[in-house]
Amino acid sequence: MLEVIGSALWFILPAYAANATPVLAGGGRPLDRGRKLSDGEPIFGSGKTVRGLLAGIVTGSAVAIVQGILTNSCRWPLVGLLLALGALVGDLIGSFIKRRLHIPRGRPAPLLDQLDFLLVALLFASPLAVPSWQEIATLLIITPLIHLGTNAGAYALGLKKHPW
Ligand code: CTP
Ligand code: MG
């Protein structure tokens, strides 16, 4: 049981890193430059920035490179890059969906906020690596909990405007 949790966390670490970094390093020019669609809502909203995206890619890849060195795997950094890219794209897709549902930037969308990045990260990495179903089930359960916990922590530290 603990082994499955450990290997699942090890697998998803680049995605977690990519998803968490923008909270610290994001800001500046929004990816959509404030453009709105015909529904009157922004494409992604001002919470999705160029700097956040780049910082997420850099941190996610750096984590994966360290993991590759630790496990002597030259293939892992590529898997990690896909996980990081997938996490960031998934986060963007989540915001895109929220805006289409007229949910303002920063307002919660339960499950979507916690799982968008995970599902797309797994999808992006799937041509090269697929975790066991036990690991995937573990990630589906613990990711929302970790996401809520770390966001509440970031809110308490004043790093985030909302605790979700
Ligand atoms: N962030 C960023 N660039 C990204 C993703 C996130 O700069 N590509 C930063 C923003 O400062 C954002 C914070 O990280 O406010 C937290 O991200 P998230 O919770 O995903 O964004 P929200 O502001 O809640 O916006 P949304 O409603 O679109 O989820
Ligand atoms: Mg949010």
Side-chain angles (χ1 to χ4, degrees), residues 42-124:
I43 304 176
F44 303 116
S46 54
K48 306 292 122 152
T49 66
V50 180
R51 203 163 77 208
L53 191 71
L54 295 178
I57 294 173
V58 170
T59 317
S61 313
V63 165
I65 289 169
V66 172
Q67 285 179 305
I69 293 170
L70 291 176
T71 54
N72 225 343
S73 162
C74 31
R75 209 175 79 104
W76 182 257
L78 186 56
V79 178
L81 174 64
L82 291 175
L83 285 168
L85 288 176
L88 292 156
V89 170
D91 183 50
L92 283 180
I93 294 173
S95 291
F96 181 83
I97 294 173
K98 283 170 76 173
R99 297 303 89 80
R100 303 292 72 74
L101 296 173
H102 300 284
I103 301 172
R105 177 229 167 149
R107 297 299 303 161
L111 291 182
L112 186 61
D113 280 335
Q114 289 83 32
L115 292 177
D116 51 5
F117 79 97
L118 171 68
L119 293 175
V120 182
L122 291 175
L123 185 72
F124 269 40

Side-chain angles (χ1 to χ4, degrees), residues 5-28:
I5 296 178
S7 61
L9 284 176
W10 180 261
F11 185 93
I12 209 64
L13 204 58
Y16 280 6
N19 191 248
T21 306
V23 178
L24 305 169

